Amino acid sequence: MAVIHKTTLTPGKLELLTAWLPARSWYEGGERRPELARAGGFRLDDPQGEVGIEFMVVTDESGDEPVSYLVPLSYRGAPLDGADHALIGTTEHGVLGSRWVYDGAHDPVLVAQLLALLLGEAEPQAQSVSDTPDPSVVSGFTGPAINGPITSTTATDGPRCTDIVVRAGSGEDPQRDQDGRLVIRVNRVLRPGEEDATGAQGHVTAGWRLPDGTETRAVFAVVPDAAP
């Protein structure tokens, strides 16, 4: 179960994201420096207990209207090989020491647990409380069965979302392995109240708080009916 340490983080998550966010293709603030506030999210457990997994919602209040972004984050005790392009930054954790913070869409451990959540094989956890499930996170999957373990993941950013291509297979049957391809679309720009996942093979829906304190919900991730 997710363990939340009540300690310091230097630099903090919002400080790292403030520097990283403007270079994303889905950032809507142009060249404006974001003014970020934590707005919600949830966590997932790494079965091996090595990687921290958080789906964080931050709201940028620098423009005329607030914009909320979903940033899946993975926290590691050592660099992830081949993922320099996905590194958000490094930070010092008061208990765990040096941590490498990644855009989790490019981290195979986070992607595997997101898939497990869609399949009903992982339980979402509260963002800020240890050992506490979060029943407000709703997921479902109606697509074809996934054959074998994940063999590769590839993430591509778009103007509002990130598409993660997941390939799975046993390596024993090339045709079945070819069929074992799934696209998980992570909605980076969240629109309050957009909860309709009609036509999708799978979805994850969760909530966050608006700047005025209002609670709202939207689809965080979907498995489109047809791969793009």
Side-chain angles (χ1 to χ4, degrees):
M1 303 287 280
V3 177
I4 311 301
H5 298 281
K6 303 299 183 182
T7 186
T8 58
L9 200 65
T10 309
K13 299 174 189 178
L14 292 183
E15 187 175 349
L16 291 176
L17 290 174
T18 296
W20 175 81
L21 191 60
R24 303 310 104 201
S25 62
W26 36 269
Y27 176 62
E28 297 191 343
E31 298 182 0
R32 187 174 62 242
R33 179 181 174 83
E35 298 175 4
L36 300 180
R38 293 182 61 162
F42 63 93
R43 292 179 179 261
L44 294 174
D45 287 330
D46 169 17
Q48 303 303 316
E50 296 293 331
V51 179
I53 299 172
E54 180 179 9
F55 288 76
M56 175 181 279
V57 180
V58 294
T59 297
D60 177 18
E61 300 182 56
S62 64
D64 293 337
E65 297 291 336
V67 180
S68 295
Y69 299 98
L70 173 61
V71 187
L73 299 170
S74 63
Y75 308 100
R76 289 176 168 264
L80 173 62
D81 289 343
D84 289 352
H85 64 289
L87 182 65
I88 294 175
T90 57
T91 186
E92 288 297 316
H93 190 282
V95 174
L96 302 175
S98 298
R99 304 292 282 174
W100 281 257
V101 183
Y102 289 94
D103 176 2
H106 300 266
D107 191 317
V109 172
L110 182 144
V111 173
Q113 291 312 109
L114 174 57
L115 177 58
L117 175 63
L118 285 160
L119 298 177
E121 299 171 356
E123 186 174 36
Q125 300 291 307
Q127 186 178 28
S128 303
V129 183
S130 296
D131 300 337
T132 303
D134 185 348
S136 71
V137 180
V138 178
S139 62
F141 185 74
T142 59
I146 307 301
N147 300 313
I150 292 176
T151 57
S152 68
T153 66
T154 306
T156 303
D157 286 337
R160 278 197 60 182
C161 61
T162 298
D163 281 355
I164 307 171
V165 177
V166 180
R167 290 182 171 84
S170 64
E172 299 175 357
D173 185 333
Q175 181 58 50
R176 286 174 65 86
D177 288 354
Q178 182 178 355
D179 294 340
R181 177 182 183 276
L182 193 71
V183 176
I184 303 175
R185 177 166 296 159
V186 176
N187 291 323
R188 300 290 201 157
V189 182
L190 299 176
R191 304 300 189 200
E194 286 191 353
E195 296 187 69
D196 186 5
T198 301
Q201 297 183 67
H203 68 94
V204 176
T205 304
W208 74 100
R209 294 175 305 281
L210 298 176
D212 64 3
T214 302
E215 299 286 338
T216 190
R217 295 177 63 83
V219 175
F220 279 28
V222 295
V223 177
D225 186 50

